[in-house]
Amino acid sequence: MKKILYTLMALAALSLTSCNEDLLNTNPTDKVSGETMLQTTDGGYMALNGMIRFFWQWGKTTTGNYHQCFGPQSYNLMADLMGEDMVMSAQGSGWFWFDYLYNVKSRWNSTTWRPYDAWNYYYTIISNANYIINGKEGMKGATDDIDYIIGNAYAFRAYAYAYCAMTFARSYIGHEDRLSIPIYTEPTFAGTSGKARSTNREVFAQAMNDINEAISLLGTKAQQHCSHFDQYVANGLKARIALYMGDYQVAHDAAAIAVKGGSFAFDKDFHYNDATDKSVLWGAEIIQAQGTTNPQFLVHMDIRYNNGGGYGGKARKCASAWLYNKMASSDARTKWWNYEALESTGKIKGYQQWKFLFADPSNTYTGADHIFMRAPEMQLIIAETACRLGNESEAKSALNELMKTRQEDYDCSAKTGTALGKLTTDETGSLLEEIILQRRIELWGEYGRVYDIKRLRQGFKRTADMGHPVAALLNSLHTDDPETFDWVLTFPSKEIDANDLILQNPTGSYPTNEDLEGDDPSKAPKKE
């Protein structure tokens, strides 16, 4: 039996992090070992906040290409660019361009590209969470503090398992018993034996068990910092996971709790750079001592920032013309984009985004918070799940309540039904389609569009009329087929070489040799 790839920096993260009284500072310290740290709740908070800092750190998951690897917002941007609603006007400095072109799966042999980056990221979180959870019995301190620390660890593990599976496996719906990713619930180290890929059903059951345990432990305890989980954020994550699984009643009920933690009023001056905004349920408040320059989300989005490469200006992120034109002129969200020249020649124009901006484009250390979850998403989940459960009156009421804050004359009362087109641009006129459309507009740049395309079992096509460059039309792929592996990442060779129980995902749209690649459990290598 070969050994798993990763020590995953678990001991390093637990032994090299600290925090101050308000839980914001996670500056390194080498004075406390991992085992000693978890003996007290003070140390438990140090470990928890060290893991949380990984949600915006860069340069920790790959040996190169650091500027496109900086936690959840980088993967959300990756997944948005893999869809049809976000246009990347040019290659620019190269960051995210290869995600947009679907040109990363073949780079599984490299330690500088997306397969290695995403795999390392999610399993680092899983490993660190396992260490914290395993330390519960020996941790001394107030019970409420222990429950809060361990509850957060379970929530972070649930997050990592769900999103890793969403990245490295086909959709849950339709592939429940196909292979997904391995499950580890005990602390891992360099000598730990590797495990085979579990099925989607098993992985998402683990994620749901974890988030339910988190909710139980967190109870009604107040969120100590916006980067932590509380009952609202934990239920928000539960709603996301259940929605992806098609467990609509569970998703509905969890979202109904989560939405109470924030506001979905529309603020035209909010540019998604302040985690303390009333709409934000979960985010990372970046202080100057912990900020970064180029490797962060807003640098890739805000065209006004021109220092050190000006990534947003060189490779502009735009809404597709198709999506933009679905908004009424009275919709305040039209201000999130502006039709303007994308090149100095003025020959190419597109719907340049203005949704995500620095508070001060000359200062990337402040006014540049990371935002992971907002209340409007929860309201949209309530609307979608109510519709799917046959309660159209509730669905319409929920959608109208949200949309009236964006478009005063909005009314979806005439819509009905749950029909969706084969392609995302095939229109049926149904109520469910209208809810999904408003979700596409509202969460543009925030959630990761391809995750929704996968769970909805739709396909998509890009066109030049949408604004996509010719190089990004994906004509050689099969993104019009929900069964495709196009949007499923390959496992890094480091993992394949270290763990002989891993069956590789196809590098193309479909397996070319099902004995060597794919997600068929009968083809998986067996434990000797």
Side-chain angles (χ1 to χ4, degrees):
M1 174 67 67
K2 296 181 181 179
K3 308 301 180 183
I4 59 175
L5 154 66
Y6 44 82
T7 61
L8 292 181
M9 298 180 284
L11 288 175
L14 292 180
S15 61
L16 296 178
T17 56
S18 178
C19 65
N20 64 13
E21 292 181 351
D22 63 3
L23 305 178
L24 292 176
N25 184 10
T26 53
N27 293 326
T29 176
D30 57 5
K31 296 181 180 180
V32 184
S33 72
E35 292 183 1
T36 302
M37 179 176 288
L38 292 175
Q39 290 180 358
T40 69
T41 52
D42 286 344
Y45 278 117
M46 293 181 189
L48 173 63
N49 286 289
M51 181 172 62
I52 291 172
R53 190 175 181 186
F54 200 55
F55 264 53
W56 68 87
Q57 280 185 311
W58 62 277
K60 302 296 183 182
T61 58
T62 67
T63 59
N65 287 333
Y66 301 134
H67 289 213
Q68 60 181 11
C69 309
F70 44 82
Q73 284 191 309
S74 65
Y75 303 120
N76 290 346
L77 181 54
M78 169 199 79
D80 257 333
L81 285 166
M82 290 174 68
E84 77 288 58
D85 289 342
M86 182 179 284
V87 171
M88 191 167 175
S89 67
Q91 180 172 345
S93 298
W95 314 123
F96 294 97
W97 179 251
F98 297 92
D99 296 310
Y100 183 48
L101 268 55
Y102 281 64
N103 189 8
V104 296
K105 291 175 60 176
S106 63
R107 302 169 191 266
W108 61 282
N109 282 307
S110 172
T111 60
T112 63
W113 285 90
R114 192 65 75 193
Y116 185 89
D117 158 53
W119 184 261
N120 198 10
Y121 176 78
Y122 288 118
Y123 276 100
T124 297
I125 294 172
I126 290 166
S127 188
N128 280 299
N130 285 342
Y131 272 95
I132 296 172
I133 293 167
N134 189 65
K136 178 181 179 180
E137 297 305 320
M139 191 179 296
K140 296 179 181 179
T143 299
D144 278 355
D145 286 327
I146 294 173
D147 287 349
Y148 186 85
I149 293 165
I150 303 303
N152 265 271
Y154 273 112
F156 278 105
R157 192 170 75 179
Y159 165 86
Y161 272 125
Y163 276 82
C164 190
M166 288 158 63
T167 304
F168 287 93
R170 286 191 289 175
S171 64
Y172 181 89
I173 299 173
H175 307 104
E176 293 89 342
D177 296 309
R178 306 297 284 193
L179 293 178
S180 184
I181 59 174
I183 297 174
Y184 298 90
T185 58
E186 297 294 328
T188 51
F189 48 89
T192 300
S193 296
K195 292 187 178 183
R197 297 170 63 182
S198 296
T199 64
N200 264 327
R201 193 183 303 277
E202 292 166 331
V203 173
F204 279 89
Q206 181 66 55
M208 286 300 291
N209 287 339
D210 282 349
I211 198 60
N212 283 332
E213 183 67 17
I215 290 169
S216 176
L217 289 168
L218 291 170
T220 58
K221 298 176 182 66
Q223 187 183 42
Q224 296 190 23
H225 187 258
C226 63
S227 60
H228 292 182
F229 281 85
D230 63 2
Q231 61 171 323
Y232 303 115
V233 183
N235 273 286
L237 179 58
K238 181 176 180 177
R240 284 182 179 177
I241 296 171
L243 185 68
Y244 192 80
M245 295 172 67
D247 196 342
Y248 300 123
Q249 188 65 61
V250 171
H252 175 278
D253 295 347
I257 296 172
V259 76
K260 297 176 183 177
S263 167
F264 49 79
F266 187 80
D267 180 357
K268 63 181 178 60
D269 296 319
F270 179 48
H271 293 296
Y272 301 85
N273 55 31
D274 183 0
T276 66
D277 184 82
K278 292 180 180 179
S279 71
V280 177
L281 300 177
W282 184 30
E285 190 177 15
I286 306 303
I287 59 177
Q288 181 148 345
Q290 296 176 358
T292 62
T293 52
N294 289 343
Q296 60 174 300
F297 178 70
L298 290 179
V299 167
H300 292 278
M301 303 301 286
D302 191 343
I303 65 172
R304 303 171 305 159
Y305 176 72
N306 292 311
N307 296 333
Y311 301 153
K314 290 182 177 179
R316 297 189 181 208
K317 312 304 184 296
C318 308
S320 77
W322 186 94
L323 186 69
Y324 184 88
N325 289 326
K326 291 300 175 184
M327 287 185 287
S329 59
S330 56
D331 191 332
R333 297 173 301 179
T334 58
K335 304 301 181 184
W336 284 347
W337 298 278
N338 187 38
Y339 191 63
E340 58 187 76
L342 304 182
E343 293 182 343
S344 58
T345 61
K347 294 181 179 179
I348 299 176
K349 291 188 175 183
Y351 292 97
Q352 161 65 39
Q353 80 84 28
W354 293 95
K355 180 179 180 181
F356 305 96
L357 301 176
F358 285 109
D360 177 0
S362 67
N363 185 353
T364 63
Y365 295 101
T366 58
D369 292 349
H370 294 238
I371 294 172
F372 308 135
M373 184 186 294
R374 293 190 303 122
E377 177 191 348
M378 298 300 115
Q379 186 75 355
L380 286 161
I381 291 177
I382 292 170
E384 178 180 344
T385 53
C387 180
R388 290 183 180 277
L389 293 167
N391 192 345
E392 288 198 353
S393 61
E394 182 189 3
K396 294 174 184 179
S397 176
L399 184 58
N400 279 330
E401 185 180 6
L402 172 67
M403 287 300 298
K404 290 290 186 181
T405 66
R406 279 113 174 101
Q407 180 185 336
E408 290 185 359
D409 59 351
Y410 183 85
D411 186 2
C412 66
S413 299
K415 298 283 186 178
T416 188
T418 58
L420 295 176
K422 179 181 178 181
L423 299 180
T424 60
T425 48
D426 293 341
E427 297 179 81
T428 68
S430 74
L431 174 60
L432 179 60
E433 181 180 77
E434 175 66 16
I435 295 168
I436 298 298
L437 172 63
Q438 297 308 327
R439 177 180 170 90
R440 290 166 70 173
I441 296 168
E442 182 69 28
L443 300 183
W444 186 93
E446 297 182 59
Y447 180 77
R449 171 65 179 147
V450 81
Y451 302 137
D452 270 355
I453 294 171
K454 290 174 69 172
R455 74 171 177 87
L456 293 169
R457 304 283 290 144
Q458 291 182 292
F460 74 87
K461 289 185 178 180
R462 293 176 182 168
T463 67
D465 287 342
M466 292 177 177
H468 293 286
V470 172
L473 296 183
L474 309 179
N475 292 326
S476 64
L477 302 184
H478 293 83
T479 58
D480 59 341
D481 179 10
E483 296 300 313
T484 186
F485 282 86
D486 284 328
W487 40 56
V488 179
L489 275 188
T490 46
F491 298 104
S493 61
K494 289 285 188 179
E495 177 66 14
I496 297 290
D497 294 342
N499 182 0
D500 54 10
L501 295 180
I502 295 291
L503 179 66
Q504 178 62 290
N505 282 323
T507 56
S509 300
Y510 307 103
T512 56
N513 184 338
E514 292 188 357
D515 290 326
L516 298 176
E517 59 182 34
D519 60 4
D520 184 347
S522 70
K523 304 294 185 179
K526 306 301 181 183
K527 183 176 181 180
E528 296 177 1

